[in-house]
Amino acid sequence: MTLSLIEAVLLVFVLGCAIGAAVLRDVLASLMAFAAYSLGISIIWVMLEAPDVGLTEAAVGAGIMTILFILALANTVRPQENGLFESISARTVVLVGGFVVVMIATVPSLPPVGADGTVHPNPVVSGEVTQYYLENAYADTEVKNAVTAVLAAYRGFDTLGEAVVVFSAGVAALTVLRQEVFA
C-alpha cells in the first residue's frame, strides 16, 4: 500500500494534532488541536469514500464538540501555569508506542483503497453480502441507488440511530447556546 503526498501530509497532520491535544498544557490550545484533529479525520473519511461518516465527524467532532468545549472553558477559571507542554513519563511513551506499533502492523493486511476484487482481492467488494446488495437492492427496495437502498432500507435502524445522535447533539448545542449569556 502506497500513500500519495496528500495522504501522507494528512496523516502527519492528524498525528501531530493528536499529540498536541494530548501534551499541550494550555487547555485552549489543546482544544484547538483537538478540533483540527477531528477536521483532519473527517477529511480522511471523505478520502476513504465514506462521506456520511466524514460529515458526521465534521459536524459533531469538529463543530459541536468544539463549541461545547469552548463554552465549558469560558465558564471555568484558567490557572496560570508555566510551561507549554505536559510532562510525559517513559512508561506512557512505551505503552502508547507499543499500541502504535501494533496498529501499524495491521495496515499491510488491509486491502488497498478502491480495490475491485479482480486485481487486488478485496473481501468487502467480493463478499456475499455486498453481492446480495448489488443484485437484489432494486428488487427488495425499489430504490435505484444501491447505496441509498442499503442506508435507508437494509440499515434503516442504524441510519435512524445515527440521525438521532446528530440531531441530539445539535439540540444540546442549541440549548447550551441559548442559555449562555454573552457579555
Side-chain angles (χ1 to χ4, degrees):
M1 181 173 119
T2 61
L3 293 176
S4 68
L5 179 62
I6 188 76
E7 292 169 338
V9 168
L10 193 56
L11 285 175
V12 169
F13 172 75
V14 167
L15 287 173
C17 289
I19 292 169
V23 300
L24 284 169
R25 191 174 284 258
D26 182 28
V27 179
L28 183 59
S30 180
L31 177 59
M32 292 299 106
F34 169 75
Y37 165 82
S38 187
L39 188 61
I41 290 294
S42 68
I43 294 169
I44 289 174
W45 281 120
V46 170
M47 290 176 65
L48 291 173
E49 299 176 8
D52 57 333
V53 179
L55 288 173
T56 302
E57 176 66 28
V60 175
I64 293 172
M65 289 305 299
T66 302
I67 291 170
L68 291 176
F69 284 151
I70 288 174
L71 289 173
L73 185 60
N75 290 321
T76 59
V77 177
R78 293 178 60 193
Q80 297 296 329
E81 298 178 9
N82 293 332
L84 183 62
F85 296 103
E86 291 286 338
S87 60
I88 302 172
S89 70
R91 178 178 161 197
T92 302
V93 171
V94 169
L95 287 173
V96 171
F99 179 74
V100 167
V101 167
V102 168
M103 295 304 291
I104 290 174
T106 63
V107 171
S109 66
L110 296 173
V113 175
D116 61 3
T118 56
V119 176
H120 300 285
N122 184 339
V124 174
V125 174
S126 60
E128 287 180 39
V129 175
T130 303
Q131 293 306 314
Y132 177 84
Y133 287 156
L134 293 175
E135 293 168 4
N136 300 308
Y138 182 73
D140 291 349
T141 64
E142 296 183 12
V143 176
K144 292 181 182 177
N145 185 320
V147 173
T148 304
V150 169
L151 290 175
Y154 295 117
R155 294 183 51 214
F157 286 117
D158 181 49
T159 303
L160 176 65
E162 291 171 0
V164 166
V165 167
V166 172
F167 178 76
S168 300
V171 168
L174 290 174
T175 303
V176 168
L177 288 173
R178 179 171 282 170
Q179 293 177 356
E180 183 65 31
V181 177
F182 296 99

